[in-house]
Amino acid sequence: MKKIISIVLLLALVACSLVACKKDNGDNTPAEKTYTLSVVADDGLKTISKGSATVIALALVYDADGKIVAARFDSVQPKFALNADKTDLATVARVETKVEQGDSYDPNNSMKAGKWYAQAQAFENFLIGKTAADVAALDTSNVGPDNPIVAGCTMSASTPVFQALVAKAFAYTRNVTFTTSETVTLGLAIDCAVSGSVKDNGKAAFDVAGVAVAGGKVVASMLDSAECAYTLAITEGTDKSGNPTTSLTVTPGEYKGTKNEQGDAYDAWKPMAGGRWYAQAQAFANATVGKDLAGVEAIDATTVAGCTIYAGGYKAVLVRALGYAR
């Protein structure tokens, strides 16, 4: 009888141990959480200063409670300039962003608080855990060298745009939701080019991509694109010493917003047979989900379901964004 009782007690102890182990494993497994990815840009293409436009873009991820978990800013400045012999527009196949230029941007160190990319990252780090209301409450009216908006960020021109882009990202209607139980990293990339001629006018255009990554694979991505036409004119004159000069006058045309922002109004006069631009672009972005960098690089840009627009450039900017994820 004692032997039987001992066996029963032993079995009971084993069963309890198994339950405990199962409970521990369950407790240690991170629960899946829902997140939202947003990619937005400001309307910098509609203004020109010294022949240059300035665009700032943001990729943002926030959780179901509306708290920011990752943010990435970058900026690009398409510039209109004459070619070497000053007879026509100098075209630029790709304009490097301020983050990509790194220390070479602002070589004279006019920003005493640090390089643009470092100050942008300081603002990104500050945003973690903040809500849209928290960011909206920031006072950006007097930012400067002696009055940082956050520690390490004193840029008086960029920080109000950062703040406005966060509000825009939360309010955006084309955001993408995803779920994961792993840590999320985020990448942002901008591909920008200047093309055209003085006779036929110039154009500045950019593609922007944001890619959220978890467990080494894409969990969400977004694309957007924008362009603006500019009237160009060559002016002959003289400087203060009477020497002849040749300059380029640049006048921006109407800027209607990014293609995502325009929605159904984009190319409304001639709808694309494959569907609206924003729908096709998101179909292409969705094709990256579940893939690592090699997988995204291997995508055939001509055969993605739901996307009939030329997507070679979109693939390139998505690959770049994924490579920049941190």
Side-chain angles (χ1 to χ4, degrees):
M1 177 62 75
K2 288 182 179 180
K3 188 174 182 180
I4 294 173
I5 292 173
S6 298
I7 292 173
V8 171
L9 290 173
L10 180 60
L11 290 173
L13 287 171
V14 171
C16 289
S17 297
L18 290 172
V19 170
C21 289
K22 185 176 181 180
K23 182 178 180 181
D24 287 342
N25 289 336
D27 289 345
N28 292 331
T29 301
E32 282 201 336
K33 295 181 180 180
T34 299
Y35 301 94
T36 299
L37 168 66
S38 184
V39 176
V40 292
D42 76 335
D43 57 0
L45 287 184
K46 74 178 184 180
T47 57
I48 285 284
S49 177
K50 296 180 180 179
S52 178
T54 301
V55 175
I56 298 179
L58 165 67
L60 189 76
V61 172
Y62 56 90
D63 64 17
D65 296 322
K67 293 183 178 181
I68 297 169
V69 298
R72 300 289 177 264
F73 291 100
D74 204 349
S75 179
V76 67
Q77 290 181 300
K79 184 176 179 63
F80 291 88
L82 290 171
N83 56 16
D85 57 9
K86 297 186 177 181
T87 60
D88 209 340
L89 177 69
T91 60
V92 181
R94 184 174 185 276
V95 182
E96 279 196 326
T97 70
K98 293 180 182 179
V99 170
E100 290 169 338
Q101 291 180 58
D103 289 338
S104 66
Y105 178 74
D106 186 35
N108 297 322
N109 294 311
S110 62
M111 297 185 292
K112 296 179 181 179
K115 296 294 187 178
W116 193 96
Y117 71 88
Q119 295 202 50
Q121 189 167 340
F123 198 91
E124 294 167 2
N125 293 338
F126 167 80
L127 290 177
I128 304 304
K130 303 293 190 298
T131 65
D134 294 332
V135 181
L138 293 174
D139 182 3
T140 61
S141 62
N142 193 33
V143 179
D146 299 321
N147 185 34
I149 182 70
V150 302
C153 185
T154 65
M155 298 186 293
S156 58
S158 295
T159 47
V161 181
F162 291 169
Q163 182 185 40
L165 285 174
V166 170
K168 187 175 183 178
F170 273 98
Y172 210 41
T173 59
R174 303 197 193 284
N175 291 338
V176 176
T177 59
F178 62 96
T179 60
T180 183
S181 60
E182 302 188 64
T183 301
V184 177
T185 59
L186 181 61
L188 170 69
I190 309 171
D191 278 358
C192 179
V194 175
S195 61
S197 67
V198 171
K199 177 184 176 182
D200 299 320
N201 296 330
K203 182 176 76 171
F206 69 84
D207 299 325
V208 59
V211 177
V213 181
K217 294 184 178 180
V218 177
V219 286
S221 63
M222 285 181 63
L223 283 165
D224 205 349
S225 184
E227 57 189 30
C228 185
Y230 298 80
T231 301
L232 309 176
I234 296 178
T235 303
E236 305 289 348
T238 57
D239 61 20
K240 293 180 180 180
S241 301
N243 299 314
T245 60
T246 302
S247 59
L248 182 68
T249 301
V250 184
T251 305
E254 181 184 7
Y255 177 69
K256 299 179 180 181
T258 70
K259 294 178 183 180
N260 272 346
E261 290 168 350
Q262 292 181 59
D264 290 342
Y266 175 71
D267 202 23
W269 63 276
K270 186 181 179 182
M272 293 177 285
R276 295 297 186 182
W277 185 93
Y278 62 85
Q280 295 200 54
Q282 190 55 52
F284 191 87
N286 290 343
T288 66
V289 175
K291 295 179 172 60
D292 58 11
L293 181 58
V296 175
E297 290 175 332
I299 292 174
D300 183 345
T302 65
T303 61
V304 173
C307 181
T308 62
I309 54 180
Y310 169 72
Y314 304 141
K315 173 183 172 179
V317 72
L318 283 164
V319 167
R320 204 183 307 277
L322 178 52
Y324 291 159
R326 56 176 172 79

